[in-house]
Amino acid sequence: MKVSLKNHWVVKPAEPTWNGTVSLSECDQTFAVTHVPTIYYYRFCQDCLPSTDNIIKTLRTSLSKALVHFYPLAGRLRWIAGSRLELDCNASGVVFTEAETEAKLDDLGDFSPSPDSNSLFPRVDYTIPIDELPLLFVQLTKFQCSGVALSFAISHAVVDGQSALYFLTEWASLARGEPLGNEPFHDRRLLRAGEPPIASPTFEHLQFNQPPLLLGKSSSEEEKKNETKGSMLKLTKNQVEMLRKKANQGNQGRSYTRYEVVTAHIWRCACKARGHKFEQPTNLCICVNIRKIMQPHLPKSFFGNAIVDVIANGVSGDITSRPLEYAARRVRAAIKIVTSDYANSTIDFLKNQEDLSKYQDIHAFRSKEGPFYGNPNLGVISWISLPLLGLDFGWGKEIHMSPGTHEYDGDCVILPGNEGDGSLTVAIILQAVHVDAFKKFFYEDIEC
């Protein structure tokens, strides 16, 4: 898809904001510290089609107002000793780009991730020194029909998914002429940001160990080179319930959640599609929101990263040959580990590291090297409960939203269906040679 960039602006806070350096928490500085892309598609009726100039004016003006409250996004990161990062709140601003394409929204089909849609996302130039690189990029692309795409790339070193959606929701409210709903809470010291280590970890933290390699391999270099492909797979509400019914056969405890059973299903299908040997070790990385887990709870409007990773592990042969309940039980057991004490132990573990680089996915900043969590492993993130849908900037709700395209084998996100009917969408990246088999198992195994 050919996209022409027409204009770009640096948008700064509409009013003076607090200026100074903010220490980032260990949750901010580990694993992915690059920009996370998302995209929203809007279609207008011909009778209510606003001009592109009016759309841009509304977005830029309201974004400038939003940055007064969410001022960390207008700052810049800075490396300090030990491969750690801090945030310079200097109101340098964010980048807003106007673009257009000769394509039509219908040309995108079911909006599955593909290289064709890459140009609809803001380009982040990681050759720029980190202290000059904006933390938020926005791109509005006009189609040759009554539609636009609004995409974002936001630094994961500053916010997690919940905080990013919180910001977008409040920005949209300001664009509609409504007041700010909740003032963001910016004090990251609630997660001991900037504090020295005071204790040793009290739990084992498998998420920081080297993940399993394919049997017979001494490194993951060959797997990293394999071509990958993205897929968007829909599960109807009925299919989700069928999976829950299967997983709960033989379950002696409370009913498994949608996330637990769908994640277990994805794990089983990936092991099958990849053709693992029975004894192949496999890790499943799970991301857990700790806002309501920490004691005391974090404020609802906490703005930053408040997530920890935890590992469910097993042997591929057991995952694939045993009933779905087996994998679901392992997923639940991993999640159950995450308590306030576990989260603090995670922070203690990282605070005691002299150098954080081996726990950071910073390949886009420094080199093409970095942690590899692909075959035989998997990472499944839940966006099911996030306020993803209904993002209205004054011209109605989106017709579709999705995460951005990427190339990392084993990355998977579970999203609520765009129809709001209880369906779910699984966005997954796998090596291209495994995609067809995965899709086959993904749907066939629901019925059997």
Side-chain angles (χ1 to χ4, degrees), residues 31 204-212 283 311 349 359 373:
F31 296 106
E204 182 181 15
H205 292 284
L206 300 178
Q207 70 269 39
F208 300 119
N209 293 347
Q210 182 69 30
N283 276 8
I311 299 296
F349 177 92
Y359 307 117
Y373 302 104

Side-chain angles (χ1 to χ4, degrees), residues 70-92:
F70 295 89
Y71 59 85
L73 289 177
R76 297 293 184 266
L77 294 172
R78 185 163 56 207
W79 290 113
I80 56 177
S83 291
R84 285 170 163 80
L85 290 163
E86 63 182 10
L87 177 59
D88 183 10
C89 294
N90 57 14
S92 291

Side-chain angles (χ1 to χ4, degrees), residues 21-71:
T21 300
V22 172
S23 295
L24 296 180
S25 74
E26 278 61 34
C27 295
D28 294 317
Q29 301 185 71
T30 48
F31 296 106
V33 293
T34 51
H35 291 67
V36 177
T38 53
I39 190 165
Y40 287 76
Y41 297 95
Y42 298 86
R43 192 192 303 273
F44 306 106
C45 62
Q46 289 296 337
D47 295 336
C48 58
L49 179 63
S51 71
T52 305
D53 287 345
N54 284 340
I55 293 175
I56 291 174
K57 181 179 179 181
T58 297
L59 289 173
R60 289 177 59 196
T61 301
S62 55
L63 175 57
S64 183
K65 292 178 181 178
L67 290 175
V68 174
H69 306 278
F70 295 89
Y71 59 85

Side-chain angles (χ1 to χ4, degrees), residues 36-39 111 113 121 232 383 401-406 413 415 427:
V36 177
T38 53
I39 190 165
F111 299 101
F121 291 88
M232 298 278 279
W383 286 6
M401 79 77 54
S402 67
T405 56
H406 46 81
V413 181
L415 309 99

Side-chain angles (χ1 to χ4, degrees), residues 39-42 105 120 139-143 147-151:
I39 190 165
Y40 287 76
Y41 297 95
Y42 298 86
L105 280 175
L120 296 175
Q139 180 172 318
L140 179 79
T141 306
K142 180 183 179 183
F143 287 79
V148 298
L150 185 61
S151 58

Side-chain angles (χ1 to χ4, degrees), residues 287-304:
C287 185
V288 179
N289 184 345
I290 60 173
R291 285 167 172 79
K292 294 182 179 180
I293 292 175
M294 297 299 293
Q295 296 296 333
H297 295 345
L298 300 184
K300 183 178 179 181
S301 59
F302 177 82
F303 192 65

Side-chain angles (χ1 to χ4, degrees), residues 338-354:
V338 184
T339 61
S340 183
D341 287 342
Y342 179 89
N344 276 301
S345 177
T346 302
I347 294 171
D348 289 329
F349 177 92
L350 292 167
K351 282 188 175 295
N352 280 281
Q353 305 301 310
E354 292 185 8

